[in-house]
Amino acid sequence: MRTARLLSFGVLALLLSSAVRARGDELPASAKRLIDQTEREIREIEKKADGAVQKAEEEIKQKKKRLLERLEALEAGLTKEAKFAQAKAVREWIQDLKAGPIVAQPDPGTPGGLRAQNGKVFHFEVTGANGVGTVWGTDVYTDDSPIAMAAVHAGVLKVGEKAVIKVTILPGQATYNGSMRNGISTSDYGPWQGSYKVEPARRKR
């Protein structure tokens, strides 16, 4: 929004300058003065807007830094008091804050093209689905199983729910056991060269 506003100011200033250059000989001095004055005012507005944005960004940065410091101190205190479950919850918040926003890729259908990148994590924007293919496995799925169905089976998404999910690439397994979960029936399978698991992109609060 800020960029759009500044662009509109810039466009107006450009149009005013162009008008003066194009019809400079025809314009009376009073009109030229009005245009020059408006251009100066627009530049001042842009300068103030940039300054305000920079100040806001710095304030946000400082607040986030202070929040992390307080949470880290709180986590240390809870650990010292042997309140391990609460300390773990605070630690997870700290990790999420440090990680920053997630950049998600479109749903690739299945993650077979990522095979052998064992342990690597990908984030995909996926809509939970049923009946779009066959899924093999439970918790760990063959890498030719549709992510949209595996996510529903794993309880990460509901059918029709769209969200960013975390996909971790795993090595092939000797066996995959099927099961019925969340309205999705998966199948058994023997050895397969690649697999994966699905989890929420962020822990649910």
Side-chain angles (χ1 to χ4, degrees):
M1 187 182 292
R2 169 186 165 256
T3 304
R5 282 199 299 267
L6 291 181
L7 281 173
S8 65
F9 289 146
V11 169
L12 178 57
L14 183 61
L15 288 172
L16 289 171
S17 298
S18 300
V20 173
R21 286 194 298 272
R23 296 186 295 273
D25 294 338
E26 304 168 12
L27 281 172
S30 56
K32 289 181 181 179
R33 282 196 298 273
L34 284 172
I35 292 169
D36 288 342
Q37 180 183 349
T38 301
E39 285 184 327
R40 285 194 298 272
E41 289 171 353
I42 288 171
R43 284 194 291 271
E44 284 299 315
I45 291 169
E46 288 175 335
K47 233 192 274 186
K48 287 178 183 177
D50 283 338
V53 169
Q54 288 173 5
K55 183 180 178 183
E57 287 173 347
E58 184 59 32
E59 286 179 2
I60 290 168
K61 182 180 175 182
Q62 292 303 318
K63 284 186 180 294
K64 285 183 177 178
K65 182 182 176 184
R66 180 59 179 152
L67 174 60
L68 281 171
E69 289 171 350
R70 287 176 155 181
L71 288 175
E72 285 168 347
L74 179 59
E75 181 205 350
L78 291 168
T79 302
K80 190 175 180 180
E81 295 170 15
K83 296 178 179 177
F84 300 117
Q86 293 178 35
K88 181 176 180 288
V90 174
R91 185 163 57 253
E92 288 173 349
W93 266 97
I94 292 169
Q95 290 169 352
D96 285 352
L97 285 169
K98 286 183 175 180
I102 291 172
V103 178
Q105 302 176 52
D107 180 4
T110 69
L114 306 170
R115 183 180 294 175
Q117 299 187 52
N118 299 335
K120 193 164 182 181
V121 170
F122 295 87
H123 291 95
F124 298 112
E125 188 173 47
V126 176
T127 301
N130 193 359
V132 294
T134 304
V135 179
W136 291 273
T138 297
D139 296 327
V140 174
Y141 305 94
T142 62
D143 64 4
D144 61 343
S145 300
I147 296 172
M149 286 182 66
V152 175
H153 184 263
V156 176
L157 292 176
K158 296 177 181 177
V159 174
E161 179 185 8
K162 186 176 184 179
V164 175
I165 66 169
K166 174 183 172 182
V167 172
T168 304
I169 306 302
L170 301 173
Q173 308 291 307
T175 59
Y176 298 83
N177 298 316
S179 63
M180 170 63 82
R181 285 185 184 171
N182 305 310
I184 302 282
S185 178
T186 64
S187 303
D188 298 336
Y189 204 79
W192 187 256
Q193 300 91 333
S195 56
Y196 70 98
K197 66 178 179 178
V198 290
E199 300 170 281
R202 291 280 196 241
R203 286 166 287 277
K204 291 184 179 179
R205 305 304 182 188

